[in-house]
């Protein structure tokens, strides 16, 4: 098919597919339909990036709309406006002619206006026999009416995205503030813990956010920070409970000492153990397993275990524990060693330790022996899972991924 041409003051121009589509759509205008010109213009300002027009082009469209005699764009009011370039330049605050023509072309290409050229390329309107406007040559605003719902939907989409971006930004700000205050409290009150390391990790997480982040980047960082905040809260709660328990034990010891002035050795005869006999072992004190860390934090620190989950993914603690059983067998950890770890640490934390061992597999010679050693230390209250997770988070967190 031979290309079609339109006549303009600057010569003949080929008609693009987009212009043909706009003209075809404009020919199907509902005679009863109408739209407020300023309402659709505001929607366009919101959706400009989706539609594909610049601020300058919108300024030219705003000037064109000022020449439309009514507020409602409708077939009954006509669609064509026909200002000269000089008039348009005045209403765009002195925009240069070349810039004006370039932005008019952009509006045409975007399918927001249609050229209605006269034979000589001039813009004007003929009067009809009744003294009103008859045939007009200039720019038709019919596409704005035809595409009104589409443009309004795009504007709503952009506004929803902006609100979501703002909501994520606010949540990030609050989460950062909480973490800063919690670490400051821990340092001021000299609570035992790796608070300086946590402060460094927090600074690295915060620095990983770009200057103008996307919603996805903020959502990813927010998940990391919320998991980190939960870790800090759990650490503070654990230290607080330990201090209360120690204080209660000290008070109980003083009370027993003061209320019983006669020691048992004075009231009952003493029995010395026979030569070579082993003293009877004291029963091991039962210790409540520590609370588990957030699953999101565990998976961030130990991503390798995800492949062992049901259907190749982990979405719950049950999935992680199922994956840990498979990894336990793969690493050569005996069922008895893993069961003891579950009894002492709790099943969630035992599964987390297995995930950590898998992550550090190249640095551990005997996974079974390492797990038994950690279990014994945990039983004595000498092992905390937090530092291990923190080290792996630093190795596998967003800052490591960014620099890797």
């Amino acid at each position: 098919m031979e290309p079609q041409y339109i006549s303009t003051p600057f010569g003949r121009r080929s008609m693009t597919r987009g212009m043909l589509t706009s003209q075809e759509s404009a020919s199907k205008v509902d005679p009863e339909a109408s739209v407020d010109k300023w309402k659709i213009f505001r929607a366009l300002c919101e959706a400009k990036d989706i539609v594909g027009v610049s601020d300058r082009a919108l300024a030219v469209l705003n000037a064109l709309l000022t020449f439309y005699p009514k507020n409602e764009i409708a077939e009954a009011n006509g669609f064509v406006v026909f200002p000269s370039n000089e008039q348009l330049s005045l209403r765009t605050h002195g925009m240069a002619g070349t810039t004006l023509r370039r932005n008019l072309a952009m509006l045409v290409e975007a399918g927001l206006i249609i050229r209605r050229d006269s034979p000589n390329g001039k813009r004007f309107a003929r009067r009809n026999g009744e003294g009103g406007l008859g045939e007009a040559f200039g720019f038709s605003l019919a596409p704005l009416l035809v595409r009104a719902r589409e443009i309004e939907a795009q504007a709503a989409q952009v506004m929803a995205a902006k609100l979501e971006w703002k909501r994520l930004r606010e949540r990030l700000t609050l989460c950062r503030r909480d973490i800063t205050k919690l670490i400051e409290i821990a340092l001021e009150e000299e609570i035992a813990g790796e608070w300086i390391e946590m402060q460094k990790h927090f600074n690295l997480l915060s620095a990983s956010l770009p200057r103008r982040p996307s919603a996805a980047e903020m959502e990813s960082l927010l998940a990391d920070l919320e998991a980190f905040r939960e870790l800090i809260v759990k650490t503070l709660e654990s230290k607080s409970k330990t201090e209360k328990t120690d204080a209660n034990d000290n008070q109980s010891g003083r009370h027993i000492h003061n209320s019983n002035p006669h020691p048992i050795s004075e009231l009952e005869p003493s029995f010395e153990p026979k030569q070579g006999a082993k003293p009877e072992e004291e029963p091991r004190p039962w210790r409540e397993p520590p609370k588990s860390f957030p699953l999101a934090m565990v998976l961030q620190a130990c991503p390798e275990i995800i492949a062992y989950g049901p259907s190749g993914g982990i979405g719950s603690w049950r999935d992680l524990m199922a994956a840990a059983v498979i990894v336990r067998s793969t690493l050569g950890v005996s069922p008895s060693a893993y069961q003891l770890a579950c009894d002492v640490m709790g099943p969630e934390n035992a599964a987390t330790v297995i995930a950590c061992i898998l992550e550090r597999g190249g640095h551990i010679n005997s996974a079974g022996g390492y797990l038994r050693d950690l279990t014994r230390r945990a039983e004595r209250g000498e092992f905390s899972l937090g530092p291990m997770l923190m080290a792996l988070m630093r190795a596998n967190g967003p800052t490591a991924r960014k620099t890797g």
Side-chain angles (χ1 to χ4, degrees):
M1 184 177 71
E2 292 185 3
Q4 298 185 37
Y5 295 91
I6 54 174
S7 298
T8 72
F10 314 102
R12 299 174 73 211
R13 292 182 179 174
S14 61
M15 182 175 287
T16 65
R17 184 180 297 273
M19 294 163 66
L20 285 170
T21 302
S22 298
Q23 290 196 5
E24 183 180 354
S25 299
S27 65
K28 300 176 182 178
V29 175
D30 181 359
E32 304 298 324
S34 65
V35 65
D36 185 288
K37 63 181 182 181
W38 299 121
K39 181 180 177 182
I40 194 64
F41 178 74
R42 287 192 295 271
L44 264 174
C45 290
E46 289 290 346
K48 63 180 181 178
D49 292 332
I50 299 177
V51 176
V53 288
S54 65
D55 293 335
R56 284 288 188 89
L58 287 174
V60 174
L61 180 60
N62 178 79
L64 287 173
L65 289 174
T66 62
F67 288 98
Y68 193 75
K70 305 287 185 179
N71 278 335
E72 294 290 324
I73 299 176
E75 188 174 35
N77 300 327
F79 293 122
V80 178
V81 291
F82 40 90
S84 65
N85 282 357
E86 290 77 14
Q87 290 172 316
L88 280 175
S89 179
L90 287 173
R91 296 202 185 181
T92 53
H93 308 288
M95 184 178 290
T98 53
T99 306
L100 183 65
R101 290 190 290 272
R102 184 170 62 250
N103 285 292
L104 283 169
M106 181 182 289
L107 292 172
V108 173
E109 288 291 336
L112 298 176
I113 60 175
I114 298 173
R115 292 183 185 273
R116 296 293 187 195
D117 290 318
S118 65
N120 63 2
K122 299 294 184 180
R123 300 172 201 152
F124 64 92
R126 293 193 179 98
R127 297 286 177 180
N128 56 27
E130 300 174 356
L133 290 179
E135 190 176 14
F137 300 97
F139 297 102
S140 172
L141 304 177
L144 295 179
L145 177 58
V146 174
R147 299 180 59 186
R149 288 186 180 180
E150 173 198 345
I151 293 168
E152 287 171 354
Q154 290 169 336
Q157 178 185 341
V158 171
M159 291 174 70
K162 286 181 178 179
L163 287 174
E164 176 66 10
W165 192 92
K166 185 178 179 182
R167 184 185 67 84
L168 287 170
R169 190 76 180 183
E170 289 173 350
R171 286 180 59 191
L172 265 178
T173 300
L174 292 174
C175 191
R176 282 171 163 175
R177 190 180 302 165
D178 290 345
I179 292 172
T180 301
K181 288 182 179 179
L182 288 170
I183 294 178
E184 284 178 356
I185 290 171
L187 290 172
E188 287 175 1
E189 298 186 6
E190 298 182 351
I191 298 173
E194 298 184 352
W195 302 112
I196 300 299
E197 288 298 316
M198 288 187 176
Q199 179 72 61
K200 290 179 181 178
H201 181 66
F202 171 59
N203 292 338
L204 285 173
L205 281 175
S206 299
S208 69
L209 193 67
R211 187 170 183 179
R212 295 191 63 82
S214 65
E217 289 171 328
M218 285 196 293
E219 198 166 3
S220 176
L221 178 60
L222 184 60
D224 293 341
L225 287 178
E226 286 180 341
F228 186 57
R229 179 177 60 186
E230 194 168 344
L231 169 64
I232 294 174
V233 170
K234 283 190 174 186
T235 304
L236 289 172
E237 288 177 350
S238 174
K239 299 297 182 183
S240 177
K241 287 179 181 177
T242 303
E243 290 177 1
K244 288 180 180 178
T245 302
D246 293 343
N248 291 336
D249 289 344
N250 290 335
Q251 290 176 2
S252 299
R254 287 194 298 271
H255 176 71
I256 292 171
H257 178 74
N258 294 333
S259 61
N260 186 9
H262 303 289
I264 294 176
S265 59
E266 293 179 4
L267 298 177
E268 298 179 0
S270 60
F271 295 92
E272 295 291 335
K274 293 181 180 179
Q275 188 69 22
K278 293 182 179 179
E280 184 179 351
E281 286 188 11
E282 295 183 3
R284 290 182 301 190
W286 182 81
R287 184 184 299 274
E288 182 181 359
K291 292 182 179 179
S292 60
F293 291 87
L295 180 61
M297 176 182 292
V298 175
L299 296 180
Q300 180 190 333
C302 311
E304 287 191 19
I305 200 170
I306 295 175
Y308 294 87
S311 303
I314 292 177
S316 65
W317 278 110
R318 183 181 295 274
D319 293 345
L320 180 64
M321 289 186 281
V325 172
I326 298 172
V327 172
R328 185 271 306 164
S329 176
T330 304
L331 294 174
V333 176
S334 66
S336 60
Y338 184 57
Q339 184 58 51
L340 181 59
C342 290
D343 293 340
V344 173
M345 304 179 191
E348 292 87 354
N349 285 333
T352 301
V353 171
I354 289 292
C356 292
I357 293 175
L358 174 66
E359 203 69 30
R360 300 184 59 205
H363 305 281
I364 298 172
N365 294 327
S366 172
Y370 186 63
L371 179 62
R372 286 187 182 277
D373 179 60
L374 293 182
T375 303
R376 284 192 293 269
R377 289 167 57 193
E379 198 172 24
R380 297 193 300 266
E382 298 173 356
F383 169 66
S384 174
L385 189 52
M388 182 183 287
L389 278 177
M390 289 293 298
L392 289 172
M393 282 180 69
R394 284 194 293 271
N396 299 325
T399 53
R401 292 194 296 268
K402 188 175 180 180
T403 57

